[in-house]
Amino acid sequence: MQTIIDLANAVFKPVIDLGAAPIMLIVLTLIAWAVGVNFFHALEGGIKLAIAITAIGSVIGLLTTTYQPALNAFVKSTGINLSITDLGWAPLATITWGSPYTLFFLAILVIVNLVLLFLNRTNTLDVDIFDIWHLSFTGLLAIYFGANLFIATILVIFIGILKIINSDLMKPTFNDLLDDWENPMTTTHLNYMMNPVIMVFDKLFDKLFPWLDKYDFDAAKLNEKIGFWGSRFAIGIYLGIFIGLISHQSIKSIATLAFMAATCLELFSIIGSWFIAAVEPLSQGVTDFANKRLGGRMLNIGLDWPFLAGRAEIWAAANVLAPIMLLEALVLPGNRILPLGGIIAMGVTPALLVVTRGKIIRMIVIGAIELPLFLWAGTLSAPFITHTARALHAPGIPATGLFSSSTKEGPIEQFIAVLVGKASKGEMMMVLYAALALIAYTALFFWYRHEMMKRNQKYSDEGKEVADDVKFVATHGAAGSAD
C-alpha cells in the first residue's frame, strides 16, 4: 500500500501543486489531443477552462469577502457566540491536498473509473481530478476517527462508484437544463450526492404541496415578463439591501453590498457560458473518436459543476438561502459554526437545481430543510480539520480556535465516515450504526436511481416524439412538393 502511495506522490504531486486551473488546463488539453483534436485547438479549450475556473473562484471569493463584515456585524449585534470559524472550501481543499493519502485516493479512483469504462458500466470519463479532494476528505475523516487505510479506501471506492453512476443518471437532465442535447458535459462533483435526499423532499412536495407550484417561476422567463424586477442583478440588489438592513449597515455600505451582489450574479451567468465554450473542442473530438473507435458509443466528460453557472436559479436560491442559513445557524441545536466563508451555498444549490429542474420555490424550501445537515457536518468535522491543518502547517490557518466549512460538499458522507471510523475500533454499537447507515445510504441511492431512470425514459420518449414529428413534416412536405 505504501508503495502505491509513494508512486501516486511521484506521478501526481508536481501537477497537483500547480492548483485547480492549471491542472484542468493540462487534463483537458491532453484528453482532447488524445482523441484526435488538433493540439492548438485542444490547448485553446484548456486555456478557456482554466480561465473559467479562475473567474468563478474569484467572483465567489469577492462576493463572500464583501459580505463577511456585514454578517459579522449582524452576529455581534445578536450577542450569540458560535465558536467555529467558517473558512469556506478553498482552505479545506489546500489542507486535504496536503495529505499524501489524497494522491493515493486519486490514483485508485482513476483506475476505478477506467475499469468501469472498460466494463461498460459507465459512459463518464471523470476529468475533474482536482475535486477528488472531496472524496479524499471523506476517507481522511474516517481515518481520523479510527479506520485504517484499507477500510477508508473501500469507503472512498464505494462512494466514488456511486458518484460516477450518478453522473450518468444526471446527464439527460443537464442536457435539458442547458437546452443542448449534443454536448458531452456531466459532472462527478460530490455535491450531487445530495440528490437522493433532495428527491425524497421533492416527492413529498408533490404529495403535500403541489399547489405551491402554480406560484413558482422561471427566473429567466420572469425577467422577460417583468423586466428589471426579475433580472439577475435585481435579485442581487434585493439580497444586498436585506443583508445590509439586518446588520445595521450605513447607506453607503448597503449600496456596496447591493451593487456587488448584482455585479457578481451577472458575471456568474457570463462565466457559465465559458465552461461550455471550453469543452467544444473536446466535445467534437470525443464524438469523432466514438464514431471511429467505439462503434458510436458516446462518452460523457465529468467536469466541475459550474458549467451550469449560467442558470439564474442557482444564484437566486443561493442568495435567498444565505440569510436563511445564517438565521438557522443561530438557533440550531448542536451547531457551533458561524456561516461566513461558505455563506454562498455552492455546496447546496446545484443539486437542488438538478432534482427540482429549476423550480425556485422548491429549491428554497428544500434547501432550507437540508441546510442543518451541512451545519452539523461542519461542526462534526471541525476537530479533524483543525488538527490536520496544524499538523501539516497549512498556510493562512488561524493560530487558535476551531475552524471548518458551513457548506462543505458531502455532509451525509461525512456522517458515514465518522460512523465507519468509530466502528473500526470494534465497538459493537458503532458497528451496528455504521452498518445501518450504509444500508440506508445505499438503498436511498438505488431508489433515487430508479426514479431518475424513469425521468430519463420520459426524456427519451419526448425526444422520439419530436423526431417523429420532424420526420412527418419532412415527409409531408416532400409529398406536397411532388403534387
Side-chain angles (χ1 to χ4, degrees):
M1 191 75 78
Q2 187 61 44
T3 302
I4 299 177
I5 294 174
D6 292 340
L7 179 61
N9 269 317
V11 173
F12 291 112
K13 195 172 189 308
V15 179
I16 296 301
D17 286 343
L18 295 174
I23 288 171
M24 294 312 299
L25 185 156
I26 294 169
V27 169
L28 192 74
T29 300
L30 291 180
I31 292 177
W33 190 30
V35 296
V37 178
N38 174 276
F39 176 77
F40 292 106
H41 198 197
L43 179 62
E44 177 187 359
I47 291 172
K48 286 180 178 179
L49 182 60
I51 292 170
I53 290 172
T54 301
I56 205 83
S58 298
V59 176
I60 290 175
L62 180 63
L63 188 59
T64 301
T65 302
T66 302
Y67 273 74
Q68 277 187 355
L71 294 170
N72 278 327
F74 171 71
V75 172
K76 186 176 180 180
S77 69
T78 65
I80 295 175
N81 181 31
L82 297 174
S83 58
I84 299 175
T85 303
D86 179 11
L87 298 179
W89 71 268
L92 268 62
T94 302
I95 293 164
T96 306
W97 276 115
S99 169
Y101 292 116
T102 297
L103 295 167
F104 165 71
F105 291 136
L106 170 60
I108 293 296
L109 290 170
V110 167
I111 293 171
V112 168
N113 187 201
L114 293 176
V115 169
L116 291 174
L117 281 168
F118 178 76
L119 296 176
N120 204 20
R121 297 299 180 181
T122 182
N123 289 318
T124 296
L125 174 64
D126 186 7
V127 304
D128 185 21
I129 63 172
F130 181 80
D131 282 327
I132 291 297
W133 77 267
H134 293 296
L135 271 181
S136 176
F137 183 96
T138 304
L140 293 173
L141 187 61
I143 292 171
Y144 176 80
F145 279 96
N148 58 37
L149 181 58
F150 177 76
I151 291 176
T153 302
I154 296 300
L155 178 63
V156 167
I157 291 173
F158 170 67
I159 298 173
I161 290 174
L162 296 186
K163 197 163 63 89
I164 291 174
I165 293 172
N166 190 33
S167 68
D168 288 326
L169 293 173
M170 293 186 292
K171 183 65 176 75
T173 301
F174 289 138
N175 294 344
D176 183 45
L177 291 169
L178 295 170
D179 195 22
D180 181 359
W181 292 82
E182 302 298 326
N183 79 85
M185 293 183 296
T186 186
T187 181
T188 55
H189 203 285
L190 191 62
N191 59 19
Y192 292 100
M193 288 303 288
M194 281 298 293
N195 287 8
V197 174
I198 295 170
M199 184 165 280
V200 170
F201 290 110
D202 193 57
K203 295 295 182 183
L204 289 174
F205 218 105
D206 287 338
K207 299 292 185 182
L208 301 176
F209 309 110
W211 52 271
L212 271 177
D213 285 340
K214 68 182 179 181
Y215 299 109
D216 208 273
F217 59 91
D218 180 286
K221 290 181 180 177
L222 181 66
N223 187 32
E224 293 175 5
K225 292 180 180 178
I226 64 176
F228 160 78
W229 302 105
S231 65
R232 293 185 185 91
F233 59 84
I235 293 171
I237 288 173
Y238 304 151
L239 174 70
I241 293 173
F242 176 75
I243 295 294
L245 290 175
I246 68 171
S247 58
H248 307 294
Q249 299 295 297
S250 67
I251 294 176
K252 178 181 177 182
S253 296
I254 291 174
T256 299
L257 293 172
F259 295 137
M260 183 60 70
T263 300
C264 289
L265 290 191
E266 287 296 325
L267 289 175
F268 284 135
S269 177
I270 295 170
I271 295 167
S273 66
W274 296 354
F275 281 86
I276 298 172
V279 299
E280 284 179 357
L282 179 59
S283 174
Q284 188 58 53
V286 167
T287 300
D288 294 343
F289 180 83
N291 288 333
K292 292 178 181 178
R293 306 289 179 86
L294 301 177
R297 178 187 175 191
M298 295 304 300
L299 296 182
N300 305 323
I301 306 301
L303 296 171
D304 202 348
W305 71 264
F307 65 83
L308 282 178
R311 292 289 304 207
E313 297 92 341
I314 286 179
W315 309 107
N319 287 333
V320 175
L321 288 173
I324 291 175
M325 177 163 58
L326 183 60
L327 295 172
E328 287 183 350
L330 299 179
V331 299
L332 184 66
N335 174 59
R336 293 170 53 208
I337 186 168
L338 171 65
L340 290 174
I343 193 70
I344 306 301
M346 291 302 94
V348 182
T349 53
L352 290 167
L353 175 73
V354 167
V355 176
T356 68
R357 288 184 280 191
K359 295 177 180 177
I360 291 287
I361 293 177
R362 291 193 184 212
M363 290 177 69
I364 293 169
V365 172
I366 297 173
I369 293 171
E370 68 172 343
L371 281 175
L373 296 174
F374 289 84
L375 293 169
W376 283 325
T379 299
L380 184 65
S381 61
F384 155 70
I385 295 169
T386 305
H387 169 80
T388 304
R390 292 187 176 135
L392 295 171
H393 305 289
I397 297 301
T400 59
L402 295 173
F403 40 88
S404 185
S405 174
S406 59
T407 50
K408 163 72 180 69
E409 291 84 347
I412 303 296
E413 289 73 20
Q414 290 177 60
F415 294 133
I416 290 174
V418 171
L419 289 173
V420 168
K422 291 184 176 182
S424 300
K425 296 178 181 179
E427 185 179 341
M428 289 309 300
M429 190 58 67
M430 283 299 169
V431 171
L432 176 62
Y433 288 155
L436 291 175
L438 286 168
I439 291 170
Y441 181 79
T442 306
L444 182 60
F445 180 85
F446 280 96
W447 167 80
Y448 156 79
R449 175 179 177 271
H450 175 73
E451 295 300 314
M452 287 295 285
M453 290 178 70
K454 289 198 296 185
R455 175 193 290 189
N456 294 342
Q457 184 60 51
K458 289 181 181 178
Y459 281 132
S460 178
D461 292 343
E462 289 170 2
K464 289 177 182 177
E465 288 177 8
V466 171
D468 289 341
D469 289 344
V470 170
K471 183 177 180 181
F472 173 79
V473 170
T475 304
H476 183 74
S481 299
D483 292 336

